[in-house]
Amino acid sequence: QVQLVESGGGSVQAGGSLRLSCAVSGNIARSNCMGWFRQVPGKERDWVATVYSGGGVTAYADSVKGRFTISQDNVEYTLYLQMNSLKPADTAMYYCMAGNYRCSSGANALYWGKGTQVTVSS
């Protein structure tokens, strides 16, 4: 059984940093990419960042480009999201996912975590 468990969320002031982790257990061999999405109440879940198998190719939403970095540890089976220069607009529940083909779309998700809350105050 595959499980994705996020951690590392919390409250931080604008300009601060957080690092989210997503621990993977089980066999996700069917997926070729992993990613982070975020969601605020009443809105759709938005794509944040993607990393493809091997970790060599990454992609970011324009809103986080230059501030966030996605990476994966293939030995520890953990996905990370380093978030720097945080803004109040980054406040959301952050979800990790594993999917196929293109992980910038939630429709391609095979597995989701339950989320970790990030709150950025001004």
Side-chain angles (χ1 to χ4, degrees), residues 13-91:
Q13 289 193 324
S17 298
L18 285 172
R19 188 175 82 154
L20 305 184
S21 299
C22 174
V24 179
S25 61
N27 187 349
I28 60 166
R30 290 196 299 139
S31 65
N32 73 324
C33 53
M34 295 192 70
W36 290 95
F37 284 68
R38 63 187 182 186
Q39 187 173 26
V40 297
K43 294 191 175 181
E44 292 186 351
R45 194 170 292 188
D46 291 330
W47 170 66
V48 175
T50 294
V51 59
Y52 288 88
S53 294
V57 178
T58 58
Y60 298 91
D62 287 343
S63 59
V64 305
K65 201 172 293 183
R67 300 187 298 122
F68 290 12
T69 303
I70 189 170
S71 62
Q72 61 184 148
D73 183 331
N74 291 322
V75 175
E76 297 294 331
Y77 301 106
T78 304
L79 180 72
Y80 299 102
L81 185 68
Q82 178 66 44
M83 305 186 297
N84 298 328
S85 302
L86 282 161
K87 306 174 182 180
D90 295 317
T91 294

Side-chain angles (χ1 to χ4, degrees), residues 2 4 28-32 97-100 103 106-112:
V2 173
L4 306 179
I28 60 166
R30 290 196 299 139
S31 65
N32 73 324
M97 55 82 80
N100 256 338
C103 284
N108 293 330
L110 296 173
Y111 312 103
W112 286 101

